[in-house]
Amino acid sequence: MNITKNNIDDLNAVVTVEINKEDYSDKVEKILVDYKKTANIPGFRKGHVPMGLVKKQYGKTVLVDEVNKLLQENLNKYLVDEKLDILGNPLPRMQEEFDWEAENFSFEFELGLAPTFDIDLKKNAITQYAIVADDKMIDGQVENIRKQYGKLTSQDEVTKESEVTGVFTNEEKEIENNATFSLDKLEGKKNKDKFIGAKVGDTIELNTKKLFENDHDLMNFLKVAHDDVHDLDIEVSFKINEANTRELAELNQELFDKLFGEGNVSNLEEVKAKIKEDAEKQFVQQSDQRLLNDVTEELIENTKFDLPANFLKKWIQSAGEQELTVDQAEEEYAKSEKGLRYQLIQDRLIKDNEVQVQFEDLKAFAMQMIRAQMAQFGQLNPSDKELEDIAARILSNQDEVRRLTDQLLSQKLLDLFKEKANLKKKEVTYENFVKEVYGDSH
């Protein structure tokens, strides 16, 4: 057997695999001898079928099967041994007048080669947001806590201080959702006036455009998709089922102990410090995700290299269960090109910076996530054995292993970007972060 590679250009090559009779003849002969022993052909006793008849009936099928096995095994071994970095899979070149009656065979495969390129993490400065909880946010949280733990008093009629509970409906959009909100969440005097003076049991007709000050409230109260909520302009009905006022809870030690555990907080200033600390911990996750997205976009935009586009389109055509048309393959390639570019960039970053995910890293990462989830449900001090047992169950599931590996890899790449990228730090309030990153409509 002989395998050779001919480079067409930097991104395309053709591999030729030559298989000779001596590569397959012994194996084919052995299989046919076994067939002879077991063949059940009318007119002959089992095991006494003439070899000539066995070869005539099964010979070509066995030959094709064995040659194809040899072809795949040796081609794959060649790609590994030669350390060829290919995209997609080798594509067999169609040969007219291929003759299976010949003794020696030659097969050709097209290869799409991965490009070589350099990554410059320092090229352009990228904003790294440090989100702080300002006094306005902290005071708002204190107010929410006092409302949440305050005394609820039922009303027959809605006032401007009311909190209303009812059902939003719109038949055309199939909206029927229960919601509770205070009138200060509504945007504009006109909307608030529709509620003030209304009685429990009344139905109010509203338009969703500029109904709430925050589009995310509209999304949550109507249960519509994020992409659909912006500029949503439909009529909805709201039937008032309850109207209540809340007497704000007193800021006393009983409330502090209920919120933060006995004796951990003893005055309003300490409450505000705790709210600030907890909020800013959560903000780190959001700023980190934004940084990861921004560096990713920057790398895709400014790491220039060509791809073997024609090869990849041909490969996409035949890679799925059903063969695609040329136009469909073009469309799929256009949709997947950006992802492929980042995958190549990510692979290069991982290789150049020796980023690895070891099993012990994965186990520690899983235990950390489990501990955080248990803390949300009030289990603050689980034992190491308890964490290890849950982690072992999770890591026995291959889908979970893949999911956690991807998350941990993202975390390691984020750490790499924080260490090596050209970052410009910017301190913002959460409100300004949302405006700057997502725009005013969020």
Side-chain angles (χ1 to χ4, degrees):
M1 181 178 299
N2 186 36
I3 303 180
T4 55
K5 177 169 71 76
N6 175 38
N7 287 341
I8 296 169
D9 54 38
D10 290 342
L11 298 173
N12 296 275
V14 173
V15 167
T16 303
V17 183
E18 293 176 347
I19 297 178
N20 301 316
K21 184 177 180 180
E22 56 266 27
D23 297 320
Y24 63 81
S25 57
D26 289 349
K27 182 72 172 172
V28 169
E29 192 67 27
K30 181 179 182 305
I31 293 171
L32 290 174
V33 168
D34 290 341
Y35 271 32
K36 183 179 184 303
K37 294 175 186 174
T38 58
N40 191 1
I41 295 176
F44 298 94
R45 283 185 297 138
K46 194 172 183 179
H48 289 78
V49 180
M51 180 54 92
L53 189 56
V54 171
K55 284 185 177 180
K56 185 177 179 181
Q57 189 146 344
Y58 301 109
K60 187 173 180 181
T61 303
V62 173
L63 169 68
V64 171
D65 194 37
E66 288 308 306
V67 168
N68 278 324
K69 281 182 189 172
L70 272 173
L71 189 58
Q72 290 305 320
E73 287 169 8
N74 286 279
L75 178 59
N76 291 336
K77 184 176 183 300
Y78 174 81
L79 296 176
V80 172
D81 291 348
E82 295 294 314
K83 297 183 172 60
L84 292 179
D85 194 0
I86 66 170
L87 302 179
N89 292 317
L91 284 178
R93 274 189 169 177
M94 298 305 294
Q95 298 181 50
E96 292 180 17
E97 301 177 9
F98 187 85
D99 184 11
W100 281 106
E101 301 298 328
E103 293 186 342
N104 302 323
F105 307 104
S106 179
F107 301 91
E108 290 183 342
F109 292 86
E110 294 179 39
L111 302 182
L113 305 177
T116 56
F117 54 88
D118 295 319
I119 296 173
D120 184 2
L121 284 169
K122 299 286 188 185
K123 186 170 185 179
N124 294 318
I126 296 167
T127 302
Q128 181 183 16
Y129 292 97
I131 308 172
V132 295
D134 61 345
D135 290 343
K136 180 183 173 184
M137 167 174 265
I138 294 167
D139 290 343
Q141 285 291 89
V142 171
E143 181 85 357
N144 288 339
I145 288 168
R146 293 186 69 192
K147 283 181 180 177
Q148 185 180 345
Y149 289 91
K151 182 183 173 187
L152 207 61
T153 304
S154 178
Q155 299 171 292
D156 294 325
E157 186 175 299
V158 179
T159 66
K160 66 179 181 180
E161 290 83 19
S162 293
E163 181 181 279
V164 293
T165 296
V167 180
F168 280 108
T169 55
N170 175 287
E171 195 171 319
E172 184 187 345
K173 294 283 186 181
E174 297 181 346
I175 293 168
E176 186 172 353
N177 195 58
N178 202 64
T180 299
F181 54 90
S182 54
L183 297 198
D184 58 8
K185 287 190 174 292
L186 293 164
E187 183 171 350
K189 183 173 182 297
K190 186 179 174 183
N191 285 322
K192 289 173 182 159
D193 285 348
K194 287 185 178 181
F195 280 86
I196 295 169
K199 293 184 168 45
V200 172
D202 286 355
T203 297
I204 298 172
E205 301 301 323
L206 301 158
N207 187 283
T208 56
K209 194 171 180 63
K210 295 188 176 178
L211 178 56
F212 290 99
E213 290 190 349
N214 189 319
D215 275 351
H216 279 189
D217 284 338
L218 185 64
M219 181 176 77
N220 293 330
F221 295 149
L222 267 63
K223 283 290 180 285
V224 294
H226 184 277
D227 291 342
D228 296 337
V229 75
H230 299 304
D231 301 319
L232 184 67
D233 187 359
I234 59 171
E235 301 299 319
V236 290
S237 300
F238 182 80
K239 183 179 179 186
I240 303 170
N241 292 330
E242 289 181 33
N244 300 292
T245 55
R246 284 187 184 271
E247 183 181 328
L248 297 183
E250 281 189 48
L251 292 168
N252 54 28
Q253 195 60 49
E254 182 184 352
L255 179 61
F256 300 157
D257 290 347
K258 193 181 289 184
L259 289 170
F260 304 107
E262 194 169 340
N264 290 325
V265 166
S266 56
N267 57 53
L268 180 57
E269 288 310 307
E270 289 178 2
V271 168
K272 288 184 174 183
K274 192 82 174 87
I275 289 171
K276 182 178 175 68
E277 179 189 350
D278 291 347
E280 289 179 355
K281 275 182 189 172
Q282 291 183 11
F283 294 158
V284 168
Q285 293 178 353
Q286 294 190 52
S287 62
D288 279 354
Q289 186 59 54
R290 187 67 203 182
L291 178 62
L292 192 61
N293 292 348
D294 287 346
V295 176
T296 298
E297 288 297 323
E298 164 68 19
L299 288 172
I300 293 170
E301 183 66 27
N302 290 302
T303 306
K304 303 296 185 186
F305 54 83
D306 292 327
L307 291 168
N310 289 334
F311 168 84
L312 288 169
K313 289 169 191 174
K314 283 166 69 175
W315 174 69
I316 287 169
Q317 257 191 285
S318 58
E321 288 181 13
Q322 289 187 323
E323 186 156 331
L324 303 181
T325 66
V326 172
D327 288 343
Q328 287 172 327
E330 286 268 6
E331 191 178 331
E332 281 300 310
Y333 177 74
K335 284 193 285 190
S336 60
E337 183 186 359
K338 189 175 180 181
L340 174 58
R341 285 182 177 279
Y342 185 65
Q343 189 61 56
L344 289 167
I345 292 167
Q346 179 177 285
D347 291 347
R348 181 67 181 273
L349 285 168
I350 289 167
K351 183 179 177 183
D352 288 353
N353 295 280
E354 298 179 348
V355 177
Q356 295 181 329
V357 175
Q358 308 283 9
F359 180 76
E360 285 306 313
D361 294 338
L362 202 59
K363 181 180 169 186
F365 184 66
M367 288 171 67
Q368 179 187 337
M369 290 184 70
I370 295 160
R371 188 189 295 277
Q373 287 169 0
M374 292 176 80
Q376 289 178 350
F377 295 98
Q379 294 172 268
L380 300 177
N381 294 300
S383 67
D384 285 346
K385 184 179 185 314
E386 197 174 358
L387 291 171
E388 285 186 2
D389 287 348
I390 297 171
R393 284 201 300 275
I394 290 172
L395 295 175
S396 67
N397 181 317
Q398 287 304 307
D399 289 338
E400 284 297 308
V401 169
R402 276 192 291 273
R403 186 179 66 82
L404 288 171
T405 300
D406 288 344
Q407 288 182 12
L408 182 52
L409 192 56
S410 288
Q411 184 60 54
K412 284 177 176 278
L413 286 170
L414 178 66
D415 294 340
L416 174 70
F417 297 153
K418 285 182 177 179
E419 179 190 347
K420 295 191 173 182
N422 179 8
L423 302 181
K424 175 184 64 178
K425 296 196 176 180
K426 183 174 184 179
E427 191 172 282
V428 290
T429 64
Y430 182 70
E431 184 178 2
N432 286 337
F433 170 76
V434 170
K435 283 181 181 176
E436 190 166 321
V437 170
Y438 301 108
D440 291 333
S441 61
H442 278 64

